[in-house]
Amino acid sequence: MAVRHRLIKVTPETVWSVLADGSRYAEWVVGTSASEPVRGQWPQVDSAISYEVRVGPLRLTNETVVRECEEGSALGLEAQAGALGTARIAIELRPWGRYCLVIADEHPLQGASGLLHNAAVEALIQLRHRAMLARLARVCEEQPQTEQLEGPNKGPKPAVHGADDGHA
């Protein structure tokens, strides 16, 4: 089971606002070139996003369905990958001081991906998660941070950019 975490230097509310926007899925999910909500009100349980994966000239369209949602703190997704089956992806947000600790946990759920799952596949999932969490951090940290307050002045805190990428 691939579990990875990253400290994102914004509030959990800011991270949740990105996760809860179905039209932004392709901005942070690695391998996805386009996405759009197709069913329900994302991220409510049973809502779905259609997404496209491009491999050379091939364009594959699949869906990700919300299986669990605890607003502001947890999102459980089932990503469909055609003949490979499905994967369960659990994303948990935890306040960590003034920032957000994001924990991503993924494993095969149904179909061929479960049969093919081995240490090499696990290593690939870890690399994908590292890139996915880096993309999520970039998207979140580029958001206006007006809701974040800092120090005794209680003024708006600017977005944090820099060399410290905070990955685990």
Side-chain angles (χ1 to χ4, degrees):
M1 187 163 32
V3 178
R4 190 151 198 86
H5 66 275
R6 182 177 178 120
L7 184 65
I8 298 182
K9 295 179 178 179
V10 296
T11 65
E13 293 80 13
T14 299
V15 176
W16 183 258
S17 73
V18 171
L19 297 178
D21 184 346
S23 66
R24 300 190 77 184
Y25 186 81
E27 290 180 45
W28 56 272
V29 175
V30 173
T32 304
S33 59
S35 64
E36 66 179 336
V38 291
R39 208 170 40 253
Q41 175 98 19
W42 186 270
Q44 293 177 354
V45 172
D46 293 328
S47 62
I49 287 178
S50 173
Y51 65 92
E52 182 178 87
V53 175
R54 294 179 187 164
V55 181
L58 295 175
R59 293 179 183 216
L60 308 170
T61 302
N62 286 304
E63 272 189 4
T64 295
V65 179
V66 176
R67 298 296 183 204
E68 174 187 18
C69 178
E70 293 177 33
E71 189 170 338
S73 64
L75 187 60
L77 306 173
E78 185 173 350
Q80 300 170 359
L84 288 177
T86 67
R88 179 190 71 76
I89 302 144
I91 301 170
E92 182 182 349
L93 309 182
R94 292 185 188 169
W96 201 261
R98 65 182 180 184
Y99 299 135
C100 181
L101 181 63
V102 179
I103 303 164
D105 171 2
E106 178 177 350
H107 70 271
L109 190 61
Q110 300 180 60
S113 60
L115 297 173
L116 301 173
H117 196 196
N118 58 37
V121 171
E122 188 77 14
L124 289 174
I125 292 171
Q126 287 286 348
L127 290 173
R128 188 171 143 262
H129 276 192
R130 184 177 190 168
M132 180 185 77
L133 290 173
R135 286 174 72 166
L136 180 61
R138 179 186 45 78
V139 168
C140 293
E141 291 170 357
E142 288 175 354
Q143 298 262 100
Q145 303 303 310
T146 57
E147 77 276 4
Q148 293 193 45
L149 302 178
E150 155 179 275
N153 298 336
K154 302 292 185 197
K157 178 186 175 294
V160 177
H161 301 282
D164 178 16
D165 67 0
H167 63 72

